């Protein structure tokens, strides 16, 4: 099975943004990550994420990593 098919991590960025009343554009501005890169993450197409990016997103959304990412077998 190709590695892409074994990734079972879901990003809940859409849900968190909605709960916080924030747009992806606003999050991009706050964390200094491009809109395109955040969109890739939001749509579960990211292959990796830097800890610094994860930290910035969690700080901007006032959440924990587990609020943002979940394992879905």
């Amino acid at each position: 099975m190709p590695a892409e098919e074994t990734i079972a991590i879901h990003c809940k960025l859409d849900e968190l943004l909605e709960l916080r009343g924030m747009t992806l554009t606003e999050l991009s501005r706050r964390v200094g990550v491009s809109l395109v890169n955040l969109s890739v993450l939001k749509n579960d197409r990211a292959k990796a994420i830097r800890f610094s990016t994860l930290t910035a997103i969690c700080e901007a959304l006032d959440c924990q990593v587990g609020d943002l990412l979940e394992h879905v077998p």
Side-chain angles (χ1 to χ4, degrees), residues 30-71:
R30 288 187 187 195
V31 301
V33 174
S34 75
L35 193 56
V36 171
N37 285 342
L38 286 177
S39 182
V40 167
L41 180 63
K42 179 179 78 84
N43 292 309
D44 293 332
R45 291 182 283 136
K47 303 277 189 253
I49 183 170
R50 293 175 189 240
F51 283 161
S52 58
T53 300
L54 194 53
T55 298
I57 291 171
C58 287
E59 288 175 356
L61 294 176
D62 189 29
C63 69
Q64 296 294 312
V65 174
D67 299 326
L68 180 64
L69 302 172
E70 70 179 336
H71 179 252

